Amino acid sequence: FASAEAMERWREVEKEKLRLYMRRLVRKADVDGIMLRITIHEAKSLIAMQPLLKKAYSNPYAVLSHHVGEDIRKWHTKVVPHSLYPVWNQTFDIPLTSVHDSVHLVIKDKYKKMRRPLGRVEIF
C-alpha cells in the first residue's frame, strides 16, 4: 500500500464487505433454516458420582438442548456405564430456525438427580 491511510481504507472496505455477507447469511438462516451437525466424541476426568465403592465411577451421558424462544428440544447420548472417561462418538443433526437459537451440552450421571451436572458448555 502507498500509505497507512490507504491500507486503513482497504481494511474498512473489506470489513464492510464481510458485514454485508454476514447479513445475507443471517437473512437466509432466518428464512431457510440451517442444519447444525454436532458430534459428541468423549469426556475426560469426570467426577465420580459413586465414590464409596471399591472403584469410583459415574454413569455419564450427554444431553444436547436446543433453545428456540420458549421451546426446548433435547437429544441424549447413550449411557456409558462405570466410566470417568466415556466415549460416545454420536452425531446429532439439529435444525436451526434462527440465528438467535442457542445450543447447550450438559454431561449428567444416570443415577444421580442433582442440580450440578458433571460438565456443561454453551455451544452458541
Side-chain angles (χ1 to χ4, degrees), residues 64-94:
L64 269 173
S65 58
H66 174 218
H67 301 257
V68 182
E70 297 295 319
D71 295 333
I72 299 175
R73 290 181 253 169
K74 294 184 178 183
W75 293 264
H76 300 263
T77 64
K78 63 185 183 217
V79 174
V80 178
H82 305 125
S83 179
L84 298 178
Y85 296 84
V87 176
W88 293 289
N89 287 326
Q90 287 184 253
T91 300
F92 301 92
D93 290 326
I94 300 173

PDB file of all heavy atoms in Angstrom, residues 64-94:
ATOM      1  N   LEU A  64     -27.903 -32.743  24.648  1.00  0.00           N
ATOM      2  CA  LEU A  64     -27.863 -31.529  23.821  1.00  0.00           C
ATOM      3  C   LEU A  64     -29.231 -30.889  23.914  1.00  0.00           C
ATOM      4  O   LEU A  64     -30.247 -31.558  23.725  1.00  0.00           O
ATOM      5  CB  LEU A  64     -27.603 -31.888  22.368  1.00  0.00           C
ATOM      6  CG  LEU A  64     -26.178 -31.940  21.881  1.00  0.00           C
ATOM      7  CD1 LEU A  64     -26.132 -32.480  20.469  1.00  0.00           C
ATOM      8  CD2 LEU A  64     -25.515 -30.604  21.959  1.00  0.00           C
ATOM      9  N   SER A  65     -29.281 -29.614  24.224  1.00  0.00           N
ATOM     10  CA  SER A  65     -30.571 -28.928  24.241  1.00  0.00           C
ATOM     11  C   SER A  65     -30.524 -27.738  23.290  1.00  0.00           C
ATOM     12  O   SER A  65     -29.551 -27.004  23.248  1.00  0.00           O
ATOM     13  CB  SER A  65     -30.934 -28.487  25.660  1.00  0.00           C
ATOM     14  OG  SER A  65     -29.958 -27.638  26.188  1.00  0.00           O
ATOM     15  N   HIS A  66     -31.589 -27.620  22.527  1.00  0.00           N
ATOM     16  CA  HIS A  66     -31.720 -26.572  21.516  1.00  0.00           C
ATOM     17  C   HIS A  66     -32.851 -25.658  21.969  1.00  0.00           C
ATOM     18  O   HIS A  66     -34.004 -26.079  22.065  1.00  0.00           O
ATOM     19  CB  HIS A  66     -32.035 -27.226  20.169  1.00  0.00           C
ATOM     20  CG  HIS A  66     -32.320 -26.252  19.080  1.00  0.00           C
ATOM     21  ND1 HIS A  66     -33.274 -26.488  18.132  1.00  0.00           N
ATOM     22  CD2 HIS A  66     -31.785 -25.047  18.781  1.00  0.00           C
ATOM     23  CE1 HIS A  66     -33.316 -25.479  17.288  1.00  0.00           C
ATOM     24  NE2 HIS A  66     -32.425 -24.592  17.669  1.00  0.00           N
ATOM     25  N   HIS A  67     -32.513 -24.410  22.272  1.00  0.00           N
ATOM     26  CA  HIS A  67     -33.477 -23.448  22.792  1.00  0.00           C
ATOM     27  C   HIS A  67     -33.951 -22.548  21.659  1.00  0.00           C
ATOM     28  O   HIS A  67     -33.160 -21.832  21.058  1.00  0.00           O
ATOM     29  CB  HIS A  67     -32.840 -22.605  23.894  1.00  0.00           C
ATOM     30  CG  HIS A  67     -32.338 -23.423  25.029  1.00  0.00           C
ATOM     31  ND1 HIS A  67     -33.001 -23.533  26.216  1.00  0.00           N
ATOM     32  CD2 HIS A  67     -31.240 -24.209  25.148  1.00  0.00           C
ATOM     33  CE1 HIS A  67     -32.341 -24.324  27.026  1.00  0.00           C
ATOM     34  NE2 HIS A  67     -31.262 -24.757  26.403  1.00  0.00           N
ATOM     35  N   VAL A  68     -35.255 -22.608  21.400  1.00  0.00           N
ATOM     36  CA  VAL A  68     -35.871 -21.754  20.382  1.00  0.00           C
ATOM     37  C   VAL A  68     -36.962 -20.972  21.093  1.00  0.00           C
ATOM     38  O   VAL A  68     -38.051 -21.490  21.315  1.00  0.00           O
ATOM     39  CB  VAL A  68     -36.479 -22.583  19.234  1.00  0.00           C
ATOM     40  CG1 VAL A  68     -37.065 -21.682  18.171  1.00  0.00           C
ATOM     41  CG2 VAL A  68     -35.470 -23.533  18.655  1.00  0.00           C
ATOM     42  N   GLY A  69     -36.648 -19.746  21.476  1.00  0.00           N
ATOM     43  CA  GLY A  69     -37.613 -18.963  22.246  1.00  0.00           C
ATOM     44  C   GLY A  69     -37.909 -19.665  23.555  1.00  0.00           C
ATOM     45  O   GLY A  69     -37.027 -19.942  24.347  1.00  0.00           O
ATOM     46  N   GLU A  70     -39.179 -20.006  23.776  1.00  0.00           N
ATOM     47  CA  GLU A  70     -39.581 -20.712  24.996  1.00  0.00           C
ATOM     48  C   GLU A  70     -39.498 -22.227  24.844  1.00  0.00           C
ATOM     49  O   GLU A  70     -39.561 -22.948  25.832  1.00  0.00           O
ATOM     50  CB  GLU A  70     -41.016 -20.313  25.376  1.00  0.00           C
ATOM     51  CG  GLU A  70     -41.170 -18.842  25.716  1.00  0.00           C
ATOM     52  CD  GLU A  70     -40.393 -18.452  26.962  1.00  0.00           C
ATOM     53  OE1 GLU A  70     -40.401 -19.223  27.939  1.00  0.00           O
ATOM     54  OE2 GLU A  70     -39.755 -17.388  26.947  1.00  0.00           O
ATOM     55  N   ASP A  71     -39.392 -22.715  23.614  1.00  0.00           N
ATOM     56  CA  ASP A  71     -39.342 -24.156  23.367  1.00  0.00           C
ATOM     57  C   ASP A  71     -37.935 -24.698  23.564  1.00  0.00           C
ATOM     58  O   ASP A  71     -36.956 -24.043  23.215  1.00  0.00           O
ATOM     59  CB  ASP A  71     -39.795 -24.488  21.942  1.00  0.00           C
ATOM     60  CG  ASP A  71     -41.251 -24.143  21.709  1.00  0.00           C
ATOM     61  OD1 ASP A  71     -42.014 -24.151  22.692  1.00  0.00           O
ATOM     62  OD2 ASP A  71     -41.613 -23.857  20.566  1.00  0.00           O
ATOM     63  N   ILE A  72     -37.838 -25.920  24.095  1.00  0.00           N
ATOM     64  CA  ILE A  72     -36.552 -26.594  24.262  1.00  0.00           C
ATOM     65  C   ILE A  72     -36.687 -28.003  23.697  1.00  0.00           C
ATOM     66  O   ILE A  72     -37.584 -28.748  24.086  1.00  0.00           O
ATOM     67  CB  ILE A  72     -36.133 -26.674  25.743  1.00  0.00           C
ATOM     68  CG1 ILE A  72     -35.986 -25.270  26.328  1.00  0.00           C
ATOM     69  CG2 ILE A  72     -34.827 -27.447  25.881  1.00  0.00           C
ATOM     70  CD1 ILE A  72     -35.694 -25.260  27.816  1.00  0.00           C
ATOM     71  N   ARG A  73     -35.793 -28.331  22.758  1.00  0.00           N
ATOM     72  CA  ARG A  73     -35.725 -29.695  22.212  1.00  0.00           C
ATOM     73  C   ARG A  73     -34.447 -30.342  22.727  1.00  0.00           C
ATOM     74  O   ARG A  73     -33.425 -29.674  22.857  1.00  0.00           O
ATOM     75  CB  ARG A  73     -35.736 -29.663  20.697  1.00  0.00           C
ATOM     76  CG  ARG A  73     -37.082 -29.249  20.138  1.00  0.00           C
ATOM     77  CD  ARG A  73     -37.047 -29.252  18.645  1.00  0.00           C
ATOM     78  NE  ARG A  73     -37.047 -27.839  18.234  1.00  0.00           N
ATOM     79  CZ  ARG A  73     -36.815 -27.433  17.021  1.00  0.00           C
ATOM     80  NH1 ARG A  73     -36.526 -28.279  16.078  1.00  0.00           N
ATOM     81  NH2 ARG A  73     -36.838 -26.159  16.734  1.00  0.00           N
ATOM     82  N   LYS A  74     -34.501 -31.649  23.015  1.00  0.00           N
ATOM     83  CA  LYS A  74     -33.340 -32.320  23.601  1.00  0.00           C
ATOM     84  C   LYS A  74     -32.996 -33.604  22.850  1.00  0.00           C
ATOM     85  O   LYS A  74     -33.874 -34.289  22.342  1.00  0.00           O
ATOM     86  CB  LYS A  74     -33.603 -32.666  25.073  1.00  0.00           C
ATOM     87  CG  LYS A  74     -33.735 -31.445  25.939  1.00  0.00           C
ATOM     88  CD  LYS A  74     -33.884 -31.816  27.398  1.00  0.00           C
ATOM     89  CE  LYS A  74     -33.965 -30.550  28.238  1.00  0.00           C
ATOM     90  NZ  LYS A  74     -34.033 -30.856  29.657  1.00  0.00           N
ATOM     91  N   TRP A  75     -31.698 -33.895  22.819  1.00  0.00           N
ATOM     92  CA  TRP A  75     -31.154 -35.132  22.268  1.00  0.00           C
ATOM     93  C   TRP A  75     -30.219 -35.724  23.326  1.00  0.00           C
ATOM     94  O   TRP A  75     -29.471 -34.997  23.975  1.00  0.00           O
ATOM     95  CB  TRP A  75     -30.361 -34.863  20.994  1.00  0.00           C
ATOM     96  CG  TRP A  75     -31.199 -34.398  19.845  1.00  0.00           C
ATOM     97  CD1 TRP A  75     -31.700 -35.167  18.845  1.00  0.00           C
ATOM     98  CD2 TRP A  75     -31.617 -33.069  19.552  1.00  0.00           C
ATOM     99  NE1 TRP A  75     -32.413 -34.390  17.952  1.00  0.00           N
ATOM    100  CE2 TRP A  75     -32.378 -33.093  18.377  1.00  0.00           C
ATOM    101  CE3 TRP A  75     -31.430 -31.841  20.192  1.00  0.00           C
ATOM    102  CZ2 TRP A  75     -32.944 -31.969  17.814  1.00  0.00           C
ATOM    103  CZ3 TRP A  75     -31.997 -30.704  19.643  1.00  0.00           C
ATOM    104  CH2 TRP A  75     -32.745 -30.782  18.463  1.00  0.00           C
ATOM    105  N   HIS A  76     -30.239 -37.053  23.483  1.00  0.00           N
ATOM    106  CA  HIS A  76     -29.432 -37.719  24.506  1.00  0.00           C
ATOM    107  C   HIS A  76     -28.480 -38.725  23.861  1.00  0.00           C
ATOM    108  O   HIS A  76     -28.858 -39.400  22.910  1.00  0.00           O
ATOM    109  CB  HIS A  76     -30.332 -38.498  25.484  1.00  0.00           C
ATOM    110  CG  HIS A  76     -31.311 -37.637  26.203  1.00  0.00           C
ATOM    111  ND1 HIS A  76     -31.077 -37.153  27.456  1.00  0.00           N
ATOM    112  CD2 HIS A  76     -32.526 -37.150  25.841  1.00  0.00           C
ATOM    113  CE1 HIS A  76     -32.103 -36.425  27.845  1.00  0.00           C
ATOM    114  NE2 HIS A  76     -32.997 -36.409  26.874  1.00  0.00           N
ATOM    115  N   THR A  77     -27.284 -38.834  24.423  1.00  0.00           N
ATOM    116  CA  THR A  77     -26.381 -39.913  24.017  1.00  0.00           C
ATOM    117  C   THR A  77     -26.727 -41.157  24.828  1.00  0.00           C
ATOM    118  O   THR A  77     -27.521 -41.095  25.769  1.00  0.00           O
ATOM    119  CB  THR A  77     -24.900 -39.562  24.288  1.00  0.00           C
ATOM    120  OG1 THR A  77     -24.719 -39.431  25.701  1.00  0.00           O
ATOM    121  CG2 THR A  77     -24.479 -38.304  23.570  1.00  0.00           C
ATOM    122  N   LYS A  78     -26.088 -42.252  24.503  1.00  0.00           N
ATOM    123  CA  LYS A  78     -26.248 -43.459  25.311  1.00  0.00           C
ATOM    124  C   LYS A  78     -25.500 -43.273  26.636  1.00  0.00           C
ATOM    125  O   LYS A  78     -24.583 -42.449  26.741  1.00  0.00           O
ATOM    126  CB  LYS A  78     -25.704 -44.665  24.565  1.00  0.00           C
ATOM    127  CG  LYS A  78     -24.222 -44.573  24.306  1.00  0.00           C
ATOM    128  CD  LYS A  78     -23.706 -45.718  23.460  1.00  0.00           C
ATOM    129  CE  LYS A  78     -22.200 -45.554  23.333  1.00  0.00           C
ATOM    130  NZ  LYS A  78     -21.651 -45.900  22.091  1.00  0.00           N
ATOM    131  N   VAL A  79     -25.885 -44.030  27.638  1.00  0.00           N
ATOM    132  CA  VAL A  79     -25.191 -44.027  28.923  1.00  0.00           C
ATOM    133  C   VAL A  79     -23.971 -44.936  28.804  1.00  0.00           C
ATOM    134  O   VAL A  79     -24.064 -46.042  28.281  1.00  0.00           O
ATOM    135  CB  VAL A  79     -26.110 -44.536  30.053  1.00  0.00           C
ATOM    136  CG1 VAL A  79     -25.349 -44.668  31.361  1.00  0.00           C
ATOM    137  CG2 VAL A  79     -27.306 -43.608  30.212  1.00  0.00           C
ATOM    138  N   VAL A  80     -22.823 -44.455  29.273  1.00  0.00           N
ATOM    139  CA  VAL A  80     -21.613 -45.278  29.308  1.00  0.00           C
ATOM    140  C   VAL A  80     -21.432 -45.704  30.766  1.00  0.00           C
ATOM    141  O   VAL A  80     -21.062 -44.893  31.612  1.00  0.00           O
ATOM    142  CB  VAL A  80     -20.373 -44.506  28.811  1.00  0.00           C
ATOM    143  CG1 VAL A  80     -19.135 -45.385  28.898  1.00  0.00           C
ATOM    144  CG2 VAL A  80     -20.580 -44.019  27.388  1.00  0.00           C
ATOM    145  N   PRO A  81     -21.724 -46.974  31.088  1.00  0.00           N
ATOM    146  CA  PRO A  81     -21.686 -47.391  32.485  1.00  0.00           C
ATOM    147  C   PRO A  81     -20.266 -47.463  33.042  1.00  0.00           C
ATOM    148  O   PRO A  81     -19.326 -47.808  32.339  1.00  0.00           O
ATOM    149  CB  PRO A  81     -22.340 -48.770  32.470  1.00  0.00           C
ATOM    150  CG  PRO A  81     -22.239 -49.244  31.076  1.00  0.00           C
ATOM    151  CD  PRO A  81     -22.164 -48.031  30.200  1.00  0.00           C
ATOM    152  N   HIS A  82     -20.150 -47.128  34.328  1.00  0.00           N
ATOM    153  CA  HIS A  82     -18.910 -47.264  35.104  1.00  0.00           C
ATOM    154  C   HIS A  82     -17.706 -46.634  34.423  1.00  0.00           C
ATOM    155  O   HIS A  82     -16.699 -47.290  34.196  1.00  0.00           O
ATOM    156  CB  HIS A  82     -18.634 -48.742  35.411  1.00  0.00           C
ATOM    157  CG  HIS A  82     -19.767 -49.400  36.098  1.00  0.00           C
ATOM    158  ND1 HIS A  82     -20.352 -50.535  35.604  1.00  0.00           N
ATOM    159  CD2 HIS A  82     -20.463 -49.064  37.208  1.00  0.00           C
ATOM    160  CE1 HIS A  82     -21.343 -50.886  36.404  1.00  0.00           C
ATOM    161  NE2 HIS A  82     -21.427 -50.004  37.382  1.00  0.00           N
ATOM    162  N   SER A  83     -17.801 -45.341  34.098  1.00  0.00           N
ATOM    163  CA  SER A  83     -16.709 -44.694  33.372  1.00  0.00           C
ATOM    164  C   SER A  83     -16.517 -43.258  33.822  1.00  0.00           C
ATOM    165  O   SER A  83     -17.478 -42.531  34.063  1.00  0.00           O
ATOM    166  CB  SER A  83     -16.990 -44.721  31.873  1.00  0.00           C
ATOM    167  OG  SER A  83     -15.949 -44.078  31.179  1.00  0.00           O
ATOM    168  N   LEU A  84     -15.258 -42.867  33.923  1.00  0.00           N
ATOM    169  CA  LEU A  84     -14.907 -41.460  34.122  1.00  0.00           C
ATOM    170  C   LEU A  84     -14.330 -40.869  32.835  1.00  0.00           C
ATOM    171  O   LEU A  84     -14.033 -39.685  32.772  1.00  0.00           O
ATOM    172  CB  LEU A  84     -13.890 -41.320  35.261  1.00  0.00           C
ATOM    173  CG  LEU A  84     -14.369 -41.789  36.633  1.00  0.00           C
ATOM    174  CD1 LEU A  84     -13.268 -41.639  37.662  1.00  0.00           C
ATOM    175  CD2 LEU A  84     -15.618 -41.040  37.064  1.00  0.00           C
ATOM    176  N   TYR A  85     -14.167 -41.726  31.827  1.00  0.00           N
ATOM    177  CA  TYR A  85     -13.633 -41.331  30.508  1.00  0.00           C
ATOM    178  C   TYR A  85     -14.544 -41.895  29.404  1.00  0.00           C
ATOM    179  O   TYR A  85     -14.118 -42.715  28.602  1.00  0.00           O
ATOM    180  CB  TYR A  85     -12.204 -41.859  30.326  1.00  0.00           C
ATOM    181  CG  TYR A  85     -11.231 -41.264  31.301  1.00  0.00           C
ATOM    182  CD1 TYR A  85     -11.075 -41.790  32.577  1.00  0.00           C
ATOM    183  CD2 TYR A  85     -10.482 -40.151  30.957  1.00  0.00           C
ATOM    184  CE1 TYR A  85     -10.194 -41.229  33.487  1.00  0.00           C
ATOM    185  CE2 TYR A  85      -9.590 -39.586  31.854  1.00  0.00           C
ATOM    186  CZ  TYR A  85      -9.454 -40.137  33.119  1.00  0.00           C
ATOM    187  OH  TYR A  85      -8.585 -39.572  34.015  1.00  0.00           O
ATOM    188  N   PRO A  86     -15.811 -41.466  29.359  1.00  0.00           N
ATOM    189  CA  PRO A  86     -16.743 -42.047  28.385  1.00  0.00           C
ATOM    190  C   PRO A  86     -16.428 -41.645  26.947  1.00  0.00           C
ATOM    191  O   PRO A  86     -15.965 -40.544  26.684  1.00  0.00           O
ATOM    192  CB  PRO A  86     -18.091 -41.479  28.819  1.00  0.00           C
ATOM    193  CG  PRO A  86     -17.738 -40.176  29.460  1.00  0.00           C
ATOM    194  CD  PRO A  86     -16.428 -40.412  30.155  1.00  0.00           C
ATOM    195  N   VAL A  87     -16.692 -42.571  26.036  1.00  0.00           N
ATOM    196  CA  VAL A  87     -16.575 -42.317  24.602  1.00  0.00           C
ATOM    197  C   VAL A  87     -17.950 -42.592  23.992  1.00  0.00           C
ATOM    198  O   VAL A  87     -18.474 -43.695  24.117  1.00  0.00           O
ATOM    199  CB  VAL A  87     -15.499 -43.213  23.952  1.00  0.00           C
ATOM    200  CG1 VAL A  87     -15.462 -42.998  22.444  1.00  0.00           C
ATOM    201  CG2 VAL A  87     -14.131 -42.935  24.564  1.00  0.00           C
ATOM    202  N   TRP A  88     -18.527 -41.578  23.340  1.00  0.00           N
ATOM    203  CA  TRP A  88     -19.846 -41.729  22.729  1.00  0.00           C
ATOM    204  C   TRP A  88     -19.755 -41.812  21.213  1.00  0.00           C
ATOM    205  O   TRP A  88     -20.408 -42.653  20.626  1.00  0.00           O
ATOM    206  CB  TRP A  88     -20.744 -40.548  23.124  1.00  0.00           C
ATOM    207  CG  TRP A  88     -21.101 -40.518  24.567  1.00  0.00           C
ATOM    208  CD1 TRP A  88     -21.941 -41.379  25.215  1.00  0.00           C
ATOM    209  CD2 TRP A  88     -20.638 -39.598  25.542  1.00  0.00           C
ATOM    210  NE1 TRP A  88     -22.023 -41.038  26.531  1.00  0.00           N
ATOM    211  CE2 TRP A  88     -21.231 -39.947  26.770  1.00  0.00           C
ATOM    212  CE3 TRP A  88     -19.783 -38.502  25.515  1.00  0.00           C
ATOM    213  CZ2 TRP A  88     -21.010 -39.245  27.949  1.00  0.00           C
ATOM    214  CZ3 TRP A  88     -19.559 -37.806  26.681  1.00  0.00           C
ATOM    215  CH2 TRP A  88     -20.161 -38.182  27.879  1.00  0.00           C
ATOM    216  N   ASN A  89     -19.069 -40.907  20.578  1.00  0.00           N
ATOM    217  CA  ASN A  89     -18.996 -40.823  19.118  1.00  0.00           C
ATOM    218  C   ASN A  89     -20.389 -40.874  18.481  1.00  0.00           C
ATOM    219  O   ASN A  89     -20.634 -41.650  17.566  1.00  0.00           O
ATOM    220  CB  ASN A  89     -18.091 -41.917  18.546  1.00  0.00           C
ATOM    221  CG  ASN A  89     -16.638 -41.627  18.829  1.00  0.00           C
ATOM    222  OD1 ASN A  89     -16.212 -40.481  18.861  1.00  0.00           O
ATOM    223  ND2 ASN A  89     -15.874 -42.675  19.071  1.00  0.00           N
ATOM    224  N   GLN A  90     -21.275 -40.044  18.965  1.00  0.00           N
ATOM    225  CA  GLN A  90     -22.628 -39.960  18.427  1.00  0.00           C
ATOM    226  C   GLN A  90     -22.827 -38.601  17.766  1.00  0.00           C
ATOM    227  O   GLN A  90     -22.373 -37.576  18.280  1.00  0.00           O
ATOM    228  CB  GLN A  90     -23.661 -40.155  19.535  1.00  0.00           C
ATOM    229  CG  GLN A  90     -23.747 -41.589  20.013  1.00  0.00           C
ATOM    230  CD  GLN A  90     -24.846 -41.764  21.049  1.00  0.00           C
ATOM    231  OE1 GLN A  90     -24.563 -41.929  22.203  1.00  0.00           O
ATOM    232  NE2 GLN A  90     -26.091 -41.715  20.593  1.00  0.00           N
ATOM    233  N   THR A  91     -23.527 -38.613  16.638  1.00  0.00           N
ATOM    234  CA  THR A  91     -23.761 -37.395  15.858  1.00  0.00           C
ATOM    235  C   THR A  91     -25.246 -37.053  15.871  1.00  0.00           C
ATOM    236  O   THR A  91     -26.101 -37.933  15.749  1.00  0.00           O
ATOM    237  CB  THR A  91     -23.272 -37.591  14.414  1.00  0.00           C
ATOM    238  OG1 THR A  91     -21.874 -37.891  14.449  1.00  0.00           O
ATOM    239  CG2 THR A  91     -23.495 -36.351  13.579  1.00  0.00           C
ATOM    240  N   PHE A  92     -25.531 -35.774  16.012  1.00  0.00           N
ATOM    241  CA  PHE A  92     -26.902 -35.279  16.036  1.00  0.00           C
ATOM    242  C   PHE A  92     -27.048 -34.156  15.024  1.00  0.00           C
ATOM    243  O   PHE A  92     -26.166 -33.302  14.905  1.00  0.00           O
ATOM    244  CB  PHE A  92     -27.262 -34.759  17.430  1.00  0.00           C
ATOM    245  CG  PHE A  92     -27.134 -35.790  18.509  1.00  0.00           C
ATOM    246  CD1 PHE A  92     -25.952 -35.913  19.221  1.00  0.00           C
ATOM    247  CD2 PHE A  92     -28.176 -36.650  18.796  1.00  0.00           C
ATOM    248  CE1 PHE A  92     -25.811 -36.867  20.211  1.00  0.00           C
ATOM    249  CE2 PHE A  92     -28.044 -37.608  19.780  1.00  0.00           C
ATOM    250  CZ  PHE A  92     -26.871 -37.721  20.485  1.00  0.00           C
ATOM    251  N   ASP A  93     -28.165 -34.130  14.303  1.00  0.00           N
ATOM    252  CA  ASP A  93     -28.489 -33.051  13.375  1.00  0.00           C
ATOM    253  C   ASP A  93     -29.563 -32.193  14.028  1.00  0.00           C
ATOM    254  O   ASP A  93     -30.646 -32.682  14.349  1.00  0.00           O
ATOM    255  CB  ASP A  93     -28.996 -33.602  12.041  1.00  0.00           C
ATOM    256  CG  ASP A  93     -27.887 -34.276  11.259  1.00  0.00           C
ATOM    257  OD1 ASP A  93     -26.739 -33.811  11.345  1.00  0.00           O
ATOM    258  OD2 ASP A  93     -28.169 -35.265  10.566  1.00  0.00           O
ATOM    259  N   ILE A  94     -29.250 -30.929  14.210  1.00  0.00           N
ATOM    260  CA  ILE A  94     -30.151 -30.014  14.895  1.00  0.00           C
ATOM    261  C   ILE A  94     -30.615 -28.956  13.901  1.00  0.00           C
ATOM    262  O   ILE A  94     -29.802 -28.206  13.365  1.00  0.00           O
ATOM    263  CB  ILE A  94     -29.442 -29.349  16.091  1.00  0.00           C
ATOM    264  CG1 ILE A  94     -29.003 -30.433  17.066  1.00  0.00           C
ATOM    265  CG2 ILE A  94     -30.336 -28.323  16.752  1.00  0.00           C
ATOM    266  CD1 ILE A  94     -28.158 -29.931  18.196  1.00  0.00           C
TER     267      ILE A  94
END
